[in-house]
Amino acid sequence: MPSPAGISGSDAVSRALEIVLASLDDSKAENIVSIDIQRKSSLGDYMVVASGRSHRHVAAVSDHLLKALKDAGFGTARVEGLAGADWVLIDSGDVIVHVFRPEVREFYNIEKMWMAPDLGEETLH
């Protein structure tokens, strides 16, 4: 995903994360968690996990976030799961957002996996 014109890479990531967190907060998303995944994966720099109270709330939170990212110049993010609204994945490039219904979030518990400590360089696979 291209960064907005005139913004350097790290500034664009910080700005995208700021927009994501503000949008989720404005939409009354619950239990918002931001996880730095820069040293864990090449998928992105941050993963944000949040909950909506119902299918309708998850869909509304997701729609609001997609609009906020587009309005800020981050283009159209890739999105999966919006039709069912149990678990919506929004990939804006550097920031990946998961919006869950609470029981679905509890079942998958993806925060636990991504918050695990970094493995050392000498770790054998």
Side-chain angles (χ1 to χ4, degrees), residues 46-63:
Y46 291 93
M47 182 172 293
V48 178
V49 183
S51 296
R53 294 179 299 277
S54 64
H55 294 283
R56 186 172 288 174
H57 189 222
V58 168
V61 167
S62 301
D63 282 336

Side-chain angles (χ1 to χ4, degrees), residues 27-108:
S27 298
K28 306 289 191 253
E30 299 174 346
N31 302 319
I32 302 167
V33 176
S34 174
I35 305 165
D36 183 341
I37 60 169
Q38 294 176 65
R39 291 180 180 81
K40 296 177 184 183
S41 175
S42 61
L43 293 174
D45 292 337
Y46 291 93
M47 182 172 293
V48 178
V49 183
S51 296
R53 294 179 299 277
S54 64
H55 294 283
R56 186 172 288 174
H57 189 222
V58 168
V61 167
S62 301
D63 282 336
H64 185 255
L65 175 55
L66 289 166
K67 184 178 181 336
L69 287 167
K70 189 170 187 173
D71 290 350
F74 287 96
T76 303
R78 292 177 297 274
V79 61
E80 295 288 334
L82 193 55
D86 277 330
W87 173 2
V88 179
L89 168 69
I90 299 170
D91 183 353
S92 69
D94 297 316
V95 181
I96 301 164
V97 183
H98 299 269
V99 184
F100 290 98
R101 281 189 313 107
E103 49 279 354
V104 176
R105 181 176 179 174
E106 185 179 335
F107 178 79
Y108 287 103

Side-chain angles (χ1 to χ4, degrees), residues 101-120:
R101 281 189 313 107
E103 49 279 354
V104 176
R105 181 176 179 174
E106 185 179 335
F107 178 79
Y108 287 103
N109 197 12
I110 65 171
E111 294 107 309
K112 183 177 180 182
M113 175 178 62
W114 287 102
M115 290 178 135
D118 295 340
L119 296 176

